[in-house]
Amino acid sequence: YHEGMAGALHIQRLISTKKACAAPRVMQQEAEYLGALSTVTHYNFADNRLLLRNSAGQVRAVLRPQR
């Protein structure tokens, strides 16, 4: 990834294994997550969460610390 000024973020070269998961839903979830990450252009923090946003400002992923 490359972090720029004012919350700019560019994630590139996303890779995953080709090993299939036992549950098809897990494979779909991975595909959706990687797809969302590929559109991220900015980030910000709010309420102890990391918000990853696309160029339109839409939240594509929300990450929070484990408890």
Side-chain angles (χ1 to χ4, degrees):
Y1 72 93
H2 174 74
E3 179 184 5
M5 301 189 85
L9 179 67
H10 179 71
I11 300 172
Q12 57 190 18
R13 297 185 193 166
L14 292 172
I15 56 174
S16 65
T17 65
K18 291 188 178 190
K19 184 176 180 180
C21 297
R25 177 65 189 131
V26 175
M27 297 286 294
Q28 180 64 31
Q29 183 179 21
E30 177 187 54
E32 290 170 7
Y33 179 69
L34 293 176
L37 285 182
S38 70
T39 67
V40 170
T41 59
H42 289 82
Y43 72 95
N44 68 290
F45 294 95
D47 299 323
N48 203 33
R49 299 176 302 159
L50 172 61
L51 305 175
L52 302 177
R53 300 177 180 275
N54 64 15
S55 60
Q58 299 168 316
V59 175
R60 300 297 289 144
V62 178
L63 305 170
R64 60 190 135 212
Q66 283 186 311
R67 295 181 182 190

